[in-house]
Amino acid sequence: MSFRKHDDHGKHNRQHQTNEQHGEGGHPPFGSWHPDGTHHVPFDLAQAALDEMHTAGFKPEFGDGVAEQMAAIEQRYASLAVPSGVEDLRPLGWSSIDNDTSRDLDQIEVADRVPGGIRLRVAIGDVAAAVEQDSPIDKHAEVQTQTIYTAVKNFPMLPLELSTGLTSLNEAADRLAVMMTFVVGAEGEIVEEGVSLAMVRNRAQLAYSRVGPWLEKTAAGVVDDDVMSLRSDSAREHDADASLGGGDGLPANWLAEQLKLQDEAVQLLHAARVKRGALEFHKAEADPVVVDGRVIDIGEATQNRAMNLIEDLMVAANGVMARTLRKGGRSGLQRVVVVPRRWDRIVALAHEHGTELPVNPDSVALNNFLEEQRRTDSIHYPDLAVAVIKLMGPGQYMLMRPDDDPTGHFGLAARDYTHSTAPNRRFPDLVTQRVLHAMTRNEPAPYSDEELGAIAQHCNDADKALRKIERDMQKRVAAVAMADRVGQVFPGVVTGASDKGVYVRVIRPPFEGRVVQNEQGLDVGDKVNVKLIHTNPARAFIDFAKVSGR
């Protein structure tokens, strides 16, 4: 189960929220537990999420000066004109794809054919233009480092007036943006690239759940021009942009043609990434079912073609930004995943499946093995994918000087890589935008190398703490949803084994707990059958007993 909107691969797996649940609002979701584990006393998951934040030292409440700064920003943006040095690209056929209920829209995309390939423009909301460095809003963002998503309560890094308003690339709204432009050649290579500033207008706010199946049908030769049906639930709360009806200078079928062209480019990009050794993980994420503020079940959210499209575009755009800053002689933050610390265990898992991996880490060989397992043993592939992901280890931020040899991102097979595509909800992306702005204006760097190193370390430390909060909330949500299934046996895979305990992830429905009986001798990647013997959301406990190996 994951509550994060995107991970390092750009995947979109934030849990769906109702209007009332977004941000600070929401009905308190109740289970039926007393803190001692007995029944019939309501358990407030939303309050538990807030308590987790406070216990970890975070202060999600916005402090002094934020309201005043927000009012000043709103006044400044009330009559926004195209600034000097910013290209006016509002007439283009921009669109976004996100979750049905998403309101913080970081990116929009548009494509066109040019000599040498397909040109992609990826526009990112320009938060740096709105939020001054060292201001009250910026200081809050720096401390929290990211927006935290849970099934029942969100903790935004920026005020909602910004992240879902003035710096969100909302449908039918004019917005300032940082734009990564690149041309994809016939072999999936990027033949031209650059970063600039633009004024943009999102013409169509679309949903993964709708665009994914549409792309699959279109790729199979089915003609479906009903583009209005692709709009997200949140977009349907207001009138569509006039261009969707063939007005405002765009042809009647522009959106369908745009999506097909973007998909064509992404298929080339993706094939080239895999050839270089990018890892593909086809796994389901937990999707808590929340009705009237209550968690009643855990479903599955699976990756589809629209999610893959955005993932590949964001990976490419982040690479363009990293290389642009390097070529411009500017220090920034790189996002890295070093070679797996437990490669030997990955090698052992592959051996158990009849494949011999090299002694030294090799992402191409690993991905070939994973893809072969997905094709030949789809039933057990999810177990394997979960184990390898755990053994890979988390991503980290590091100082990136222009003359440094990049550490690289093992899982993405990327040499130059940064985070730049989600500034509404990740502080490093906002830092990257400020570095870019200073470079384009030929101004001194906004941060010294020492300050960038300190920001990277703080974000790594905060990420570790926030991952623990997310894990605990995942367990609380699962404990509420799975309480009626105590006594049932589930197939799972060991995801953690240390002196702190042995942990197993159940594949369907996806949830994780600790093995407290018969756990001796288990290691990461072992496949087991476990019985659910106890749940307690107040203590974030889900307890299993090992029944047998698999």
Side-chain angles (χ1 to χ4, degrees), residues 7-11 122 180 182 190 269-270 273 276 278 308-323 409 411-414 416-421:
D7 62 13
D8 283 315
H9 306 269
K11 292 179 183 176
V122 176
M180 281 75 94
F182 49 97
I190 293 180
L269 269 176
H270 186 77
R273 284 210 305 124
R276 291 194 304 270
N308 293 336
L309 185 151
I310 295 301
E311 171 185 337
D312 281 297
L313 289 181
M314 296 310 106
V315 169
N318 281 328
V320 170
M321 176 64 82
R323 290 187 292 271
H409 195 298
L412 299 179
D416 287 286
Y417 197 71
T418 189
H419 270 173
S420 63
T421 56

Side-chain angles (χ1 to χ4, degrees), residues 1 10-11 29 68 77 98 142 145 172 180 283 296 307 339 347 350 352 358 385 412 421 429 469 472 541:
M1 187 188 306
K11 292 179 183 176
E68 293 79 4
Y77 274 61
D98 213 304
E142 182 174 9
T145 74
M180 281 75 94
K283 64 186 185 70
I296 62 170
M307 294 176 181
V339 295
V347 170
E352 292 174 10
L412 299 179
T421 56
D429 303 55
I469 292 172
D472 285 348
F541 283 179

Side-chain angles (χ1 to χ4, degrees), residues 100-135:
D100 257 302
T101 53
S102 292
R103 298 177 185 277
D104 50 345
L105 306 180
D106 282 299
Q107 74 276 333
I108 55 178
E109 305 80 35
V110 67
D112 63 317
R113 292 194 187 277
V114 296
I118 301 173
R119 176 171 57 187
L120 277 305
R121 293 182 173 104
V122 176
I124 309 299
D126 193 347
V127 177
V131 179
E132 185 179 352
Q133 187 175 345
D134 294 327
S135 63

Side-chain angles (χ1 to χ4, degrees), residues 261-284:
L261 188 58
Q262 291 179 30
D263 186 59
E264 179 184 339
V266 161
Q267 298 308 311
L268 296 171
L269 269 176
H270 186 77
R273 284 210 305 124
V274 171
K275 188 175 181 180
R276 291 194 304 270
L279 300 178
E280 298 179 288
F281 291 105
H282 302 263
K283 64 186 185 70

Side-chain angles (χ1 to χ4, degrees), residues 52-279:
E52 289 268 10
M53 292 286 287
H54 288 158
T55 299
F58 293 99
K59 297 180 180 178
E61 303 85 0
F62 290 98
D64 294 341
V66 168
E68 293 79 4
Q69 182 184 356
M70 193 62 244
I73 294 171
E74 289 176 329
Q75 184 176 13
R76 177 157 52 95
Y77 274 61
S79 55
L80 187 64
V82 181
S84 174
V86 174
E87 189 175 6
D88 188 355
L89 296 179
R90 288 175 290 180
L92 298 183
W94 298 96
S95 63
S96 65
I97 312 176
D98 213 304
N99 292 316
D100 257 302
T101 53
S102 292
R103 298 177 185 277
D104 50 345
L105 306 180
D106 282 299
Q107 74 276 333
I108 55 178
E109 305 80 35
V110 67
D112 63 317
R113 292 194 187 277
V114 296
I118 301 173
R119 176 171 57 187
L120 277 305
R121 293 182 173 104
V122 176
I124 309 299
D126 193 347
V127 177
V131 179
E132 185 179 352
Q133 187 175 345
D134 294 327
S135 63
I137 291 176
D138 184 56
K139 289 179 179 177
H140 180 273
E142 182 174 9
V143 171
Q144 184 163 310
T145 74
Q146 60 186 273
T147 292
I148 309 304
Y149 300 96
T150 78
V152 294
K153 190 177 183 68
N154 296 341
F155 302 98
M157 183 185 81
L158 299 176
L160 295 179
E161 294 89 345
L162 280 176
S163 60
T164 67
L166 296 176
T167 55
S168 176
L169 301 182
N170 296 337
E171 189 177 65
D174 298 339
R175 293 289 186 263
L176 294 174
V178 173
M179 183 176 69
M180 281 75 94
T181 303
F182 49 97
V183 176
V184 180
E187 300 299 320
E189 76 280 19
I190 293 180
V191 294
E192 296 178 26
E193 63 183 26
V195 182
S196 58
L197 305 177
M199 178 81 87
V200 298
R201 183 182 181 89
N202 186 356
R203 302 288 183 165
Q205 182 180 338
L206 313 178
Y208 294 125
S209 62
R210 303 166 193 270
V211 177
W214 185 91
L215 287 173
E216 292 290 354
K217 287 194 302 182
T218 302
V222 178
V223 177
D224 182 358
D225 293 327
D226 182 16
V227 294
M228 283 292 189
S229 68
L230 304 181
R231 295 178 73 220
S232 69
D233 288 348
S234 55
R236 294 170 190 233
E237 296 173 6
H238 55 257
D239 292 337
D241 188 84
S243 64
L244 283 181
D248 212 8
L250 290 170
N253 64 338
W254 72 267
L255 182 55
E257 295 305 313
Q258 262 299 311
L259 292 173
K260 288 188 284 187
L261 188 58
Q262 291 179 30
D263 186 59
E264 179 184 339
V266 161
Q267 298 308 311
L268 296 171
L269 269 176
H270 186 77
R273 284 210 305 124
V274 171
K275 188 175 181 180
R276 291 194 304 270
L279 300 178

